[in-house]
Amino acid sequence: MSSEETKLTELTFQLIVESSPNAIVLVNKEGKIAYFNSRAELLFGYVRADVIGQLVELLIPKRYHENHPGFRDIFFKTPSVRAMGAGRELFAARKDKTEFPIEIGLNPIVTVDGTLVLASIIDITERKKAEERFKLVVESAPNAMILVNRQGIITLINTQTEKLFGYERDELVGNKLEMLIPKRFQGHHPGHWNLFFKEPQTPTIEVGRDLFGLRKDGAEIPVEIGLNPIETNEGNMVLASFIDITERIQHERVIKKQLSELKIANDYLEQLAYISAHDIKNPIISIEGLVDILLDSSEIKPPEVELLKMQKGVIQQMKKNNKGINDILKLRQGLLTRQDADAESMSLTAILDSVKIILRSDIESTGSKLKVNMNGVSEIHFPFFYLQSVFYNLLANAIKYRDPGRELIIRFEAQRIDKQAFRFVIADNGLGFDMSRAKDKLFGVFKRFHPNIEGTGLGLHIVKSIVDAYGGEIAVNSEVGKGTTFEITLKNPIIE
Amino acid sequence: MGPIKILLIDDDKVINFLHRLKLEEVIVDCVVDEVLGGQAALDYLTTHEECPDVILLDLNMPGMDGFEFLEEYEKLGKCVDKSKKFLFIVTSSQRDEDKIKVTANRLVKGYFEKPLIVNNIKEILACF
């Protein structure tokens, strides 16, 4: 110590000590208190005069009195700046004998009167409470929770951890986390662990890897691990939560199996549908060909000709039904294997115009009116063919099921809901139908509600299939004698 | 050039009958033979010295089907490489996959859906 430093006046020293936010106690070689700042007075409940010259053990609970002088002597033999207690929990006693947890920093100071120890004392009651609360939270968690420090040492576990891994608390705390991880993973595990400390992201769930925990009995359990970095006064730690996913994996296995069975059954049914459609088509073609030959023959007399014509009519209906099945199969196939790349941006007016061209003769012959309100919607991004099909089927239905007693007016409205979603309303003043009777069956395949009007029972089924395939929604409202309103919500298949 | 020799391969007798009528109606000078399956067709080709000018092949048949026949036909070599020999598929299959698969075969000149219509026959004639 230089003479300059010893010149530090007592006044300066007092100023520094008094302005410290911590309680500060100076103790001499004999263990007697040489100084006691006002913070210390506040903390311990003594006034300075009570303690100066007293043994420092005055500030320590009775149960430590026996050992403390020894520790004190050791410190004076090898004085250094350090924390007291070497990791043990420390307690102080107030004048009224109540105890409180503390943390103490020790600082040797050489003065003209010999070496003194400056003990800086912090009341950690609040911190301890917070720690207790943390422990309680961890304890009450439904998962196994393990607090691990930077060195990979387990510092805290909860009861769920004991249950999951079959260890007692004492067998885990203080040991490496590696003991809970199967040996075959241990090679790369510490690396991964260090990486996590280097860049601790907020809650990480380990996904996409098959992770296992190792039980005390040697059994491995599939787990999902969540890692959560937390800062503590003991440094950065990781709170790891382990969820036993044995049951989940079993469920997934069952679902997977059922899914593949369903797929096989579905493929089989689809094959069957194709084959029966094909097998029916062949004889229909044959019968039609034979009937045509008879109809062309000059030897057939008028009554038979009538019968043959009726038969021809039946055959054509069969052909139409058969084609309907095939159209549905193809549409389903197309929708299932749809590629969003097929979607194109196009003008809504152009789509509607293309539908009007297909339906022109029907619109003109029935004198129907189409009132269009685009509400500023110009472009839509969707596969042309499917949107055309939706509009075509709904408009064709409106015309087909018009009320012959009044002029048909179809209202077509487009509306943009947000960047990606559109709403279309197609409303008519046609025959309408009984909602209570038709509601559930309306979109079913080959369902028809107007027996006296020719139809295939496919139109609405096709519309619904397309809307469903693109995650849209379709709603219908109808009243007999008033008309029918369809409302469709569609989303762009590509998110721009 | 003599009459156009046509071989119909279809397991359905009535279809063969109807196709024959249609062919004879449109192509005045033709000779039509019928067989009821892929194996029968192979037998026909190996036992007849003269190759048919046109083969109309169905796809879905019991026993050796149209696809298998195409393979065997190619292996047979006979009739395949001669000029002015054409093979058309006439099928009631409505599966796009079938069409794509079979028209990729170099031996297949065309693909028609049943029943054969006049325009199909005109297309066949246009090859000559």
Side-chain angles (χ1 to χ4, degrees):
Chain A
M1 174 148 299
S2 74
S3 59
E4 288 292 305
E5 281 167 320
T6 50
K7 275 182 190 158
L8 185 76
T9 65
E10 199 162 317
L11 185 68
T12 315
F13 173 79
Q14 277 194 21
L15 267 175
I16 292 170
V17 172
E18 282 305 318
S19 64
S20 164
N22 300 335
I24 288 177
V25 179
L26 273 173
V27 179
N28 67 18
K29 239 180 183 148
E30 287 76 44
K32 288 184 175 157
I33 296 167
Y35 190 79
F36 204 71
N37 74 354
S38 20
R39 281 274 165 182
E41 288 184 315
L42 221 65
L43 187 60
F44 288 92
Y46 290 107
V47 290
R48 208 162 293 168
D50 291 343
V51 293
I52 300 289
Q54 299 279 343
L55 280 173
V56 73
E57 278 74 25
L58 178 71
L59 308 174
I60 297 170
K62 259 218 167 80
R63 59 182 185 281
Y64 302 116
H65 283 189
E66 199 179 322
N67 292 330
H68 194 258
F71 290 131
R72 210 168 5 101
D73 290 344
I74 293 169
F75 185 81
F76 275 102
K77 267 173 205 150
T78 52
S80 62
V81 178
R82 63 172 173 83
M84 192 199 273
R88 287 191 309 272
E89 293 191 330
L90 301 176
F91 293 90
R94 293 192 189 85
K95 188 180 181 183
D96 63 12
K97 305 285 184 246
T98 55
E99 288 183 23
F100 58 99
I102 50 161
E103 215 170 70
I104 302 184
L106 298 176
N107 220 331
I109 301 175
V110 181
T111 70
V112 282
D113 305 326
T115 303
L116 296 178
V117 176
L118 186 148
S120 171
I121 301 153
I122 303 167
D123 179 356
I124 58 171
T125 307
E126 286 308 313
R127 191 201 295 163
K128 281 278 162 196
K129 269 188 199 160
E131 272 177 37
E132 283 307 313
R133 272 201 298 274
F134 175 73
K135 277 182 188 168
L136 265 174
V137 168
V138 167
E139 186 54 42
S140 63
N143 309 330
M145 300 278 248
I146 302 176
L147 189 65
V148 182
N149 69 12
R150 250 204 120 96
Q151 286 73 43
I153 307 282
I154 298 168
T155 62
L156 176 71
I157 66 155
N158 62 359
T159 309
Q160 293 296 334
T161 306
E162 294 180 293
K163 277 189 197 158
L164 183 62
F165 290 99
Y167 283 102
E168 300 286 327
R169 203 168 291 246
D170 297 347
E171 294 175 286
L172 290 173
V173 174
N175 283 311
K176 286 252 172 194
L177 182 70
E178 260 75 54
M179 70 189 286
L180 299 177
I181 289 153
K183 285 224 158 53
R184 63 199 155 96
F185 295 123
Q186 284 185 12
H188 27 93
H189 185 262
H192 183 76
W193 201 245
N194 289 337
L195 198 73
F196 183 76
F197 270 109
K198 223 181 243 174
E199 296 170 50
Q201 309 98 328
T202 26
T204 319
I205 297 282
E206 292 272 351
V207 284
R209 287 176 53 183
D210 292 330
L211 293 169
F212 291 91
L214 182 65
R215 283 177 54 89
K216 189 181 181 182
D217 60 18
E220 289 188 9
I221 31 173
V223 286
E224 188 178 273
I225 304 177
L227 299 177
N228 219 332
I230 49 173
E231 279 175 32
T232 72
N233 59 305
E234 292 160 70
N236 287 334
M237 300 238 186
V238 168
L239 185 63
S241 82
F242 290 74
I243 302 171
D244 182 354
I245 56 170
T246 309
E247 225 169 276
R248 191 199 300 172
I249 283 177
Q250 274 165 358
H251 285 159
E252 277 167 9
R253 221 170 270 155
V254 170
I255 288 169
K256 229 173 168 179
K257 185 167 169 279
Q258 286 171 340
L259 205 66
S260 94
E261 283 169 359
L262 266 178
K263 198 184 156 350
I264 289 167
N266 198 47
D267 285 352
Y268 172 75
L269 283 175
E270 199 159 296
Q271 285 291 323
L272 201 66
Y274 268 117
I275 290 164
S276 30
H278 165 266
D279 284 356
I280 289 165
K281 193 190 172 189
N282 236 8
I284 295 172
I285 291 163
S286 297
I287 299 170
E288 189 177 30
L290 293 172
V291 169
D292 283 346
I293 290 169
L294 290 173
L295 275 170
D296 284 347
S297 164
S298 52
E299 283 165 42
I300 306 288
K301 299 285 175 295
E304 281 76 24
V305 168
E306 281 313 305
L307 286 174
L308 284 170
K309 276 185 181 162
M310 284 162 71
Q311 188 168 349
K312 172 99 178 164
V314 173
I315 291 163
Q316 273 164 348
Q317 186 57 45
M318 282 172 78
K319 262 169 92 175
K320 212 161 94 180
N321 292 350
N322 189 249
K323 189 172 174 305
I325 295 174
N326 267 290
D327 288 349
I328 286 294
L329 288 171
K330 274 188 188 163
L331 177 78
R332 279 187 58 79
Q333 189 78 11
L335 288 174
L336 283 175
T337 58
R338 79 186 163 92
Q339 305 254 308
D340 287 340
D342 292 345
E344 46 192 316
S345 278
M346 64 216 145
S347 134
L348 189 57
T349 313
I351 304 173
L352 198 59
D353 283 347
S354 76
V355 174
K356 280 199 278 190
I357 288 167
I358 302 170
L359 290 169
R360 178 183 287 158
S361 65
D362 295 301
I363 294 172
E364 283 171 3
S365 68
T366 58
S368 308
K369 291 226 158 54
L370 182 62
K371 292 187 174 170
V372 178
N373 186 354
M374 292 295 192
N375 287 313
V377 179
S378 54
E379 293 265 300
I380 181 162
H381 195 80
F382 208 79
F384 178 86
F385 170 74
Y386 289 138
L387 198 56
Q388 189 194 39
S389 176
V390 168
F391 293 159
Y392 168 80
N393 280 298
L394 291 178
L395 292 179
N397 272 3
I399 295 169
K400 205 182 281 175
Y401 306 114
R402 68 189 179 279
D403 187 335
R406 60 170 173 260
E407 179 187 54
L408 173 66
I409 296 166
I410 307 168
R411 190 162 55 85
F412 180 99
E413 251 179 64
Q415 199 187 337
R416 183 185 280 274
I417 301 172
D418 57 38
K419 205 164 171 248
Q420 291 160 36
F422 296 90
R423 181 183 297 124
F424 300 103
V425 174
I426 293 172
D428 64 53
N429 61 342
L431 293 170
F433 53 82
D434 182 355
M435 284 289 285
S436 64
R437 199 172 64 86
K439 207 169 182 234
D440 298 335
K441 298 187 228 156
L442 194 60
F443 298 108
V445 65
F446 297 124
K447 296 289 179 199
R448 301 187 50 230
F449 298 93
H450 297 279
N452 302 321
I453 300 169
E454 195 185 336
T456 55
L458 284 180
L460 288 183
H461 180 71
I462 288 172
V463 170
K464 175 97 160 90
S465 300
I466 292 170
V467 171
D468 281 351
Y470 284 89
E473 274 169 37
I474 184 162
V476 61
N477 206 347
S478 190
E479 206 177 318
V480 176
K482 290 250 171 95
T484 306
T485 302
F486 285 95
E487 193 178 306
I488 294 171
T489 316
L490 285 180
K491 282 199 178 97
N492 281 352
I494 291 176
I495 294 152
E496 287 134 317
Chain B
M1 181 173 155
I4 295 176
K5 290 179 286 297
I6 302 170
L7 178 64
L8 304 179
I9 310 173
D10 198 313
D11 59 303
D12 189 329
K13 271 187 193 170
V14 181
I15 292 284
N16 278 338
F17 168 69
L18 293 169
H19 283 174
R20 168 200 285 278
L21 285 189
K22 198 56 103 183
L23 286 162
E24 287 174 349
E25 182 190 321
V26 180
I27 312 172
V28 183
D29 195 12
C30 70
V31 180
V32 181
D33 278 333
E34 302 161 20
V35 288
L36 292 172
Q39 189 55 53
L42 278 184
D43 295 344
Y44 176 96
L45 291 173
T46 42
T47 52
H48 287 66
E49 208 153 293
E50 257 187 299
C51 298
D53 301 306
V54 175
I55 294 174
L56 298 184
L57 174 66
D58 184 24
L59 287 179
N60 295 287
M61 292 184 288
M64 187 190 292
D65 68 12
F67 300 103
E68 289 164 329
F69 171 79
L70 272 177
E71 279 174 37
E72 295 301 322
Y73 180 53
E74 203 160 2
K75 277 189 217 157
L76 190 69
K78 192 188 171 197
C79 303
V80 174
D81 294 326
K82 299 196 177 149
S83 62
K84 301 279 172 198
K85 306 290 173 206
F86 305 108
L87 189 145
F88 290 85
I89 304 295
V90 187
T91 177
S92 52
S93 166
Q94 289 157 82
R95 290 166 58 107
D96 292 335
E97 301 97 284
D98 283 354
K99 183 172 179 176
I100 291 162
K101 188 174 156 195
V102 84
T103 50
N105 190 309
R106 67 181 181 95
L107 297 177
V108 174
K109 186 78 184 165
Y111 185 97
F112 306 128
E113 271 192 32
K114 286 180 195 176
L116 207 58
I117 56 168
V118 176
N119 276 347
N120 300 148
I121 297 169
K122 282 184 180 160
E123 207 176 302
I124 294 170
L125 283 175
C127 297
F128 290 92

